[in-house]
Amino acid sequence: AGTPRMSQHSPTQLALRRLRRHRLAMVSIGVLVFLAVVVTAADVLTALLGVDPNAVDLLNRTAPPSAEHWLGTDELGRDVLARLLYGGRISLFVGLTAAVAAATVGTIIGLCSGYFGGRLDVVLMRITDSVLALPLLPVLIVLAALDLKKIGLPDDIAYSENVSFFRIVVIVALLGWTTVARLVRGATLSIKERDFVYAAEGVGGSHFGIMFRHILPNLLSSIIVAVTLSAGGVILLESTLSFLGLGIQPPMASWGAMLTNAQETIWEAPMLAVYPGLLILITVISFNFLGDGLQDALDPRTTH
């Protein structure tokens, strides 16, 4: 009898095969790609529809869907569909940018902590525990309400139109890195004991070269999963801050800000709250399902 044939598929091909078998993850990819394409093409779509997301028409407030306004108008007479498109661009971009920024900070801290160990590991992990112990939402509210001019930023930055966007990204990066840091530290402690790391050290490789050339590539799958799972949480967090009036500020639109504005007309036009709320729900669930699918697909112990 002949010996069993070894699999000719690369780890990447095997991971893609496992991902394709995860139906919810594949549906989530389709949903997220569709949303990303639509919000990216917001300028083109609104031009084709002949609507302006910031055009106010107080004589046409909370109008029902029509040929001119497919989803009706909001409390200021602005086109709801156009606002959803531009709001989705901000919400998705905030979620992904902040998640990547937080993961970058967490990866650097976790790598240094796990690789060097000793006192540095103790200090970095105590800092991580301290950040984890902070009540997240109250701290976020305080930081989001902070007057940037009083901390030394010039007026053109402190009062710029895009400052609320960058504020949220920075806040999440400062407070949201802890999970990735602990994940990367644990994996680094295991990987640095493997033979290829000892071999790199034996031929005179530098510490940072070993960390970023040999250890980090073996952590990318876990980091990608963590970013995917946290992106949905960041979108939800941005929506919460915007709902409280501390997130994205007018005239910029976001789904959370649209929910805030819909409070005033919730009984008169409930769909103004349903549309952004439903999009937030779908997006967050899609990111979570995608993260679960990637976790199963990138796990080398998965055989199905």
Side-chain angles (χ1 to χ4, degrees):
T3 57
R5 293 184 61 187
M6 298 296 291
S7 174
Q8 300 299 315
H9 299 290
S10 68
T12 302
Q13 291 174 323
L14 293 174
L16 289 174
R17 177 181 293 182
R18 289 192 291 266
L19 181 61
R20 285 195 293 266
R21 291 176 180 175
H22 198 294
R23 295 182 179 179
L24 289 176
M26 295 305 297
V27 172
S28 299
I29 291 175
V31 170
L32 292 173
V33 169
F34 173 76
L35 288 174
V37 170
V38 169
V39 301
T40 302
D43 295 330
V44 176
L45 293 175
T46 52
L48 290 175
L49 294 173
V51 294
D52 182 347
N54 296 318
V56 175
D57 185 2
L58 297 178
L59 299 178
N60 196 29
R61 297 174 62 253
T62 63
S66 63
E68 183 180 0
H69 303 288
W70 287 12
L71 296 181
T73 61
D74 64 7
E75 71 285 347
L76 294 178
R78 298 171 296 191
D79 186 84
V80 173
L81 178 57
R83 300 285 292 176
L84 287 172
L85 293 175
Y86 282 91
R89 179 186 293 182
I90 296 298
S91 294
L92 289 175
F93 197 60
V94 165
L96 291 174
T97 304
V100 170
T104 301
V105 175
T107 298
I108 294 172
I109 292 175
L111 264 177
C112 294
S113 179
Y115 182 79
F116 292 109
R119 292 183 178 179
L120 180 63
D121 181 30
V122 173
V123 171
L124 291 178
M125 286 302 100
R126 296 298 77 76
I127 294 174
T128 303
D129 293 338
S130 300
V131 175
L132 277 171
L134 293 173
L136 183 59
L137 188 57
V139 173
L140 288 173
I141 292 174
V142 171
L143 293 177
L146 187 66
D147 188 349
L148 298 179
K149 185 178 179 181
K150 292 183 179 179
I151 62 175
L153 290 180
D155 290 352
D156 57 341
I157 296 178
Y159 300 118
S160 68
E161 180 180 333
N162 298 322
V163 70
S164 58
F165 167 80
F166 292 107
R167 184 203 295 261
I168 292 177
V169 172
V170 171
I171 290 173
V172 173
L174 290 176
L175 298 178
W177 53 268
T178 52
T179 301
V180 175
R182 302 185 81 163
L183 176 69
V184 169
R185 174 186 177 270
T188 302
L189 288 173
S190 173
I191 294 173
K192 76 173 186 177
E193 302 297 331
R194 296 185 183 177
D195 292 339
F196 67 86
V197 176
Y198 288 133
E201 293 174 347
V203 297
S206 66
H207 291 310
F208 289 100
I210 293 172
M211 287 167 58
F212 291 99
R213 191 175 302 167
H214 298 286
I215 296 179
L216 181 59
N218 290 280
L219 302 174
L220 286 179
S221 60
S222 299
I223 295 171
I224 290 171
V225 172
V227 169
T228 306
L229 290 172
S230 64
V234 174
I235 291 174
L236 200 58
L237 191 60
E238 180 275 323
S239 301
T240 302
L241 291 175
S242 296
F243 185 77
L244 296 173
L246 299 172
I248 301 300
Q249 300 297 317
M252 294 179 68
S254 75
W255 291 337
M258 293 181 70
L259 276 176
T260 302
N261 297 332
Q263 291 182 93
E264 304 172 1
T265 57
I266 189 66
W267 299 112
E268 179 184 352
M271 296 306 293
L272 294 181
V274 172
Y275 292 138
L278 188 61
L279 286 171
I280 292 170
L281 176 65
I282 292 173
T283 304
V284 172
I285 289 178
S286 296
F287 271 116
N288 289 340
F289 282 145
L290 177 57
D292 290 340
L294 288 174
Q295 193 168 24
D296 293 340
L298 297 173
D299 188 348
R301 295 169 296 181
T302 304
T303 58
H304 61 276

